[in-house]
Amino acid sequence: MPALALFAALALAGCGDKAPNGLPDPPQGSCVLDSAGILSDEAEGYVNGVTSQLSGSCGAQIAVITVNGAPSALADFTADVFNYWGVGDAEKDNGVVLVLDVSGGGDYHCTQGKGLEKTLPTAVISTILQQQLEPGFAAGDYDGGVRNTVDALAGELAGIYGVDLAAAPSGGVGFHPDAAAAKRQDKQVTGSFGTLLVIFVLLTVIFVLAAVMTPRRRYRARGFWGPPRPPRPPRPCPARNWC
């Protein structure tokens, strides 16, 4: 049983929600955080308008972040921001985060929620980035690249949910980090309970198999049947001739 207690402790150790490490707080009333200072107010307003239409019609949201050097690998940073900010509807998990890093040679990354992995797969996003973002990014036209990319992503999302963005109501552009954190906590608790259950079942199976497969020594009692045997007469010694 000490092994079971050890596995339980290890599983429960991952239940806490880790504090963000070097992640920016979500902006208030905007879906754009231009930390690198490369986007115009018009571009930011355009992205906010598109996201507002998406949010009001299907709950999807597009967040755009610019940085001058990410604190971690860009793919990891993008995923961490996505989870910390709570982009998109909490139940549908249909947010999209686009990060532009202008440090060094420059790079960008885009990630989507699990609710969009099949309908807006990574291959489609990569094509959009290559066709819509890369030309403007390479030329330093960040406004144009971001607008074109957001347009293409919004078109894909509108098609997925069958909505008309031109007629869509405004839904606001604020994110829900508290709701996202609560959702992640629920998933972690559920996952930890499932992990403990699996560990318990595995240990039970191991104990049963060990008990069945361990060889047992068999002791056979010696029994005597019938009356006692009479003593045998002594054998005569054969005559030996010595020559």
Side-chain angles (χ1 to χ4, degrees), residues 49-100:
V50 172
T51 293
S52 178
Q53 292 174 315
L54 283 170
S55 182
S57 59
C58 59
Q61 293 177 320
I62 301 174
V64 177
I65 304 108
T66 72
V67 295
N68 191 4
S72 59
L74 196 56
D76 295 336
F77 175 74
T78 306
D80 290 342
V81 169
F82 179 95
N83 291 323
Y84 178 46
W85 285 16
V87 182
D89 183 85
E91 296 300 324
K92 296 178 181 179
D93 203 357
N94 59 353
V96 179
V97 174
L98 173 64
V99 176
L100 281 67

Side-chain angles (χ1 to χ4, degrees), residues 34-55:
D34 185 21
S35 299
I38 59 175
L39 299 178
S40 65
D41 292 340
E42 290 76 15
E44 181 174 344
Y46 181 82
V47 176
N48 282 329
V50 172
T51 293
S52 178
Q53 292 174 315
L54 283 170
S55 182

Side-chain angles (χ1 to χ4, degrees), residues 6-228:
L6 174 61
F7 279 120
L10 291 175
L12 291 175
C15 290
D17 190 24
K18 295 181 179 180
N21 183 18
L23 297 180
D25 290 326
Q28 298 296 319
S30 177
C31 64
V32 179
L33 181 62
D34 185 21
S35 299
I38 59 175
L39 299 178
S40 65
D41 292 340
E42 290 76 15
E44 181 174 344
Y46 181 82
V47 176
N48 282 329
V50 172
T51 293
S52 178
Q53 292 174 315
L54 283 170
S55 182
S57 59
C58 59
Q61 293 177 320
I62 301 174
V64 177
I65 304 108
T66 72
V67 295
N68 191 4
S72 59
L74 196 56
D76 295 336
F77 175 74
T78 306
D80 290 342
V81 169
F82 179 95
N83 291 323
Y84 178 46
W85 285 16
V87 182
D89 183 85
E91 296 300 324
K92 296 178 181 179
D93 203 357
N94 59 353
V96 179
V97 174
L98 173 64
V99 176
L100 281 67
D101 186 355
V102 296
S103 65
D107 198 4
Y108 46 80
H109 190 80
C110 184
T111 191
Q112 79 280 47
K114 289 187 178 297
L116 295 173
E117 286 182 345
K118 293 183 178 180
T119 52
L120 185 61
T122 301
V124 173
I125 293 178
S126 297
T127 300
I128 291 175
L129 294 178
Q130 186 65 31
Q131 295 178 351
Q132 307 299 332
L133 181 60
E134 176 60 27
F137 190 87
D141 180 15
Y142 302 113
D143 279 7
V146 167
R147 286 174 63 113
N148 292 339
T149 303
V150 169
D151 271 344
L153 290 172
E156 292 288 338
L157 292 169
I160 291 169
Y161 292 103
V163 297
D164 181 8
L165 293 183
S170 175
V173 293
F175 302 125
H176 312 286
D178 294 336
K183 184 180 179 182
R184 292 197 306 275
Q185 184 69 23
D186 291 341
K187 286 183 178 180
Q188 289 170 343
V189 171
T190 303
S192 298
F193 176 77
T195 301
L196 288 176
L197 181 60
V198 171
I199 291 173
F200 177 78
V201 172
L202 287 177
L203 289 177
T204 302
V205 172
I206 291 172
F207 291 154
V208 171
L209 290 177
V212 171
M213 298 178 66
T214 300
R216 298 182 179 180
R217 298 183 61 185
R218 297 180 179 272
Y219 297 92
R220 184 176 181 181
R222 298 186 179 184
F224 297 93
W225 302 93

